[in-house]
Amino acid sequence: MKLRPAVLVFVAALAVAPALASAYQMTLLNHIGIYALTALGVVLLTGVAGMTSFGQAAFVGLGAYTTAVLLAPSTLDLGARVGSPWLALGLGLLLTLAFALVLGLLTLRLSGHYLPLGTIAWGISLYSLFGTVEGLGGHTGIADLPPLTLFGVSFADTRRLYYVIWLVLLGAIWVTSNLLDSRTGRAIRALKGGQEMASSMGVNVFRAKMTAFLVAAAFAGVAGWLYAYNQRFVSPAPFGLNAGIDYLFMGLLGGIGSVWGAIVGAASVILLREWLQDVLPHLLGRSGNFESIVFGLLIVLVMQRWPGGLWSAVQARLPRNRLRARLSEQPVPELPRRQPPRKGERVLEVSGLTRRFGGLVANKDMALRVDAGEILAVIGPNGAGKSTLFNLLSCVDTPNAGEIVFLGERINGYSPRKVARAGLSRTFQHVKLLPRMTVLENVAIGAHQRGHRGVFASALRLDGTEEARLLAEARRQLERVGLGEYLHHEAGSLALGQQRILEIARALCADPCLLLLDEPAAGLRHKEKQALAELLRKLRAEGMAVLLVEHDMDFVMGLVDRVVVMEFGQRIAEGLPEEVQRNPAVLEAYLGGAE
C-alpha cells in the first residue's frame, strides 16, 4: 500500500514541529524517534519474519556503551583523541553486529518457545555485563558524554538533535521498505508461510533469518548511538529485559506487520505512560506504579479491538491505493531457463523407498518412475502414505532406506533448497502462501533462486533490473494459469481453488523439470478443473514431467498417462488408467471401498 500524500503530510509536520513544540515536547519527540528506530527492528524480526525476540534493548545498550566509552573522558580518557561520532557509530555498529552474528548462530536454529527464551537469556547476560564491568561505570553509569558534533556543527540543542534522530529514522524506514519490496524481503516474509514452504521454493531459511536478525540489531545499535548523544548519560537500567518487553509492546501496539506501526507504537507507549504518570496520582490520591497496571489493561483492550495494532485503524482512514509491486510496464528480458530433459528421458526413479516413524511404516519398498513429457498419478485411500512419499521426494523428509534418483543423480539427504535448485518444484496438500502479500509477490517467491542480488542492493534499490525480470516471470506464470487479472490482489482474498492454482504458478516460476502437485484439483469447480487439466496437458507437451496426488478420479483418469496405487504405504498396482480401473485389488482398496 502506498500512502505518498499521507507520508508527505507527515514529513512536513515533522519539519515544522520544532518551531511549534515546547522544550518538554521536543524531549518526548526525540525519545519517540529513538524508540521507534529500535521498534522498527522488532517489526522486521517479529512481525515480518515471525521470530519473537526480547533482546533488542541489549543491542541498544551495545551501541550506547560503545559511544560512551569512546567519547566520555571518565572512561578511557580518549575523548580528546577518539572523539569522532563517526568512529563511535562505526565501532558501535561493528560490535553490535559481531555480537548479533554470534548470538544468531547460537539461537536462530532454535524454534518454538526456545527462541524467545534464548533471546531473554542473552539479553539478561548483556544487561549484567553493563552493570558489573567497572570500566563501564557499573550501575552508576557514565555521565560526562560530550554533545554530538557533525561537520563542525554542535547538536547540543534538543531541537537540532531532533532533526538528526528523525532523519535517521525516516532513512531506516525507507531502507526497510525497500528491503521488504525485493527478492530478499520476499524470502524473509516467506518465513511466516512456514519454513517447509520457503525452503522448497529455494529460500535459504537460515540466511533469511540471519538477515532479519542482523538488520534489526543494526537499527538497535544506531538507536544506542543516538540515545547516548540525546541523554549524554548511559547506565544499564534502560537496556534490561523490561526495556526489551517494552519494544515488543511498541511493535504489537502500533502494528507488528507495518514499518509505520513502529512510530505509532513508540509514540503510543511513551505518551500514554507520561499521561498516566501525571493523571493517576491525582485520581488515586497517592503515588505508585499504578500506571503499569492501567497500561497493561489498556494494551489488552487495544489488542482486542484492533488485533493488527493501532496502525490498522489509522490505515482505514487514509486514502487507499491498491498495493502494486515494482512491476515494469516495459518489456524486460526473460530470465535464463534451464535445459529441459528430452521427451521420454528418465527424470525421476525411486526404488526400495522406506520411511518408518517408530513402529509405524509410512512407506515400504516404494518404487516408481517418471519420464519427461509424462503425467503420473499416485492414488490411494487416506493414510496410504502419499503425503509422506511427496515429502521424501522433495527432500523435506529423509528415507530410512531406498534410493531417489533425480535427473541421474542420487538426491537422498539433499536439502529441499538444493533439490529445488536442481529442478524439482512442488505444491502442498494444505495451501501454503502469504495471505497479506499480493498474488504477484507470492508467485515471485518461486523464482527466488533465479535471482542473485543481495541485502545491500535491495535496501538501496540497486536491484531494479533483476527485480523487474523476476516480477515479469511471476506475471507470465500467472497469466499462463489464468490468474493474470489478480496480480495485485491480496492472496488471502482468493478462493481456495484459485489459491491452489496460485501455488502451481509459484512452482512453475522455479523453472522445474519435475512438478509435484499435491491434490491440485481439491476445491476447484468443474470449469476450473478443465482449465487445470488443459494447463497440465500443455506442460506435458512442453516436455515437463508431472507427478500428482489426487482423489478426484474423474480428473485423474481423463488426464494422466499412468497411475500408481498405494495402500498402507505400499504400491499395490501400476499401469494405464483403464487397467488400474479394472484391477480387483484397486477396486477393493480404493475405487470400490469406503471412499
Side-chain angles (χ1 to χ4, degrees), residues 266-302:
S268 300
V269 170
I270 291 173
L271 296 178
L272 184 59
R273 276 191 171 156
E274 290 290 325
W275 179 74
L276 290 173
Q277 286 173 356
D278 290 340
V279 170
L280 289 179
H282 294 290
L283 292 178
L284 301 176
R286 56 183 297 186
S287 60
N289 293 326
F290 300 109
E291 70 276 0
S292 298
I293 300 172
V294 178
F295 180 71
L297 292 174
L298 287 175
I299 284 183
V300 172
L301 292 174
V302 169

Side-chain angles (χ1 to χ4, degrees), residues 540-561:
R540 175 173 58 191
E542 294 170 8
M544 186 176 296
V546 179
L547 174 61
L548 62 88
V549 165
E550 185 54 65
H551 284 292
D552 188 327
M553 290 300 98
D554 291 334
F555 177 79
V556 168
M557 297 305 177
L559 171 67
V560 306
D561 299 295

Side-chain angles (χ1 to χ4, degrees), residues 241-482:
L241 179 59
N242 286 340
I245 295 172
D246 281 348
Y247 289 126
L248 195 58
F249 271 152
M250 290 175 189
L252 289 169
L253 190 61
I256 197 68
S258 168
V259 294
W260 296 103
I263 297 179
V264 175
S268 300
V269 170
I270 291 173
L271 296 178
L272 184 59
R273 276 191 171 156
E274 290 290 325
W275 179 74
L276 290 173
Q277 286 173 356
D278 290 340
V279 170
L280 289 179
H282 294 290
L283 292 178
L284 301 176
R286 56 183 297 186
S287 60
N289 293 326
F290 300 109
E291 70 276 0
S292 298
I293 300 172
V294 178
F295 180 71
L297 292 174
L298 287 175
I299 284 183
V300 172
L301 292 174
V302 169
M303 295 307 296
Q304 287 181 337
R305 177 65 178 84
W306 296 291
L310 292 174
W311 179 245
S312 63
V314 175
Q315 267 186 327
R317 290 164 173 78
L318 291 173
R320 295 191 57 160
N321 295 318
R322 187 173 297 282
L323 179 62
R324 293 184 179 274
R326 290 189 284 164
L327 186 59
S328 174
E329 298 299 329
Q330 302 298 323
V332 295
E334 288 190 9
L335 293 171
R337 306 186 68 84
R338 72 176 79 247
Q339 182 65 37
R342 297 184 304 275
K343 190 169 183 178
E345 183 179 340
R346 186 63 42 84
V347 173
L348 178 72
E349 186 160 13
V350 176
S351 58
L353 202 63
T354 300
R355 181 66 173 105
R356 301 184 186 89
F357 297 95
L360 173 66
V361 181
N363 285 162
K364 182 179 180 181
D365 294 327
M366 273 298 299
L368 57 81
R369 59 178 175 79
V370 189
D371 297 333
E374 179 184 36
I375 302 177
L376 174 68
V378 176
I379 67 173
N382 289 331
K386 303 183 298 298
S387 294
T388 300
L389 175 64
F390 256 46
N391 287 336
L392 294 174
L393 297 181
S394 58
C395 295
V396 170
D397 197 4
T398 304
N400 299 106
E403 189 173 61
I404 307 170
V405 177
F406 177 62
L407 294 176
E409 186 171 352
R410 188 176 186 271
I411 62 172
N412 294 51
Y414 273 29
S415 67
R417 177 171 172 265
K418 186 174 181 180
V419 78
R421 184 190 297 122
L424 187 152
S425 195
R426 67 169 295 184
T427 65
F428 297 87
Q429 181 180 6
H430 303 290
V431 174
K432 298 181 184 293
L433 47 76
L434 286 303
R436 299 301 302 273
M437 283 173 60
T438 65
V439 169
L440 182 72
E441 291 173 309
N442 267 276
V443 172
I445 293 172
H448 179 78
Q449 289 196 123
R450 302 175 71 183
H452 306 283
R453 303 306 296 268
V455 177
F456 293 104
S458 300
L460 300 177
R461 290 241 176 191
L462 302 177
D463 60 342
T465 301
E466 180 181 271
E467 184 70 4
R469 297 175 75 183
L470 292 173
L471 293 176
E473 176 68 12
R475 177 170 59 181
R476 188 174 75 86
Q477 298 300 342
L478 281 165
E479 291 171 346
R480 187 182 191 183
V481 301

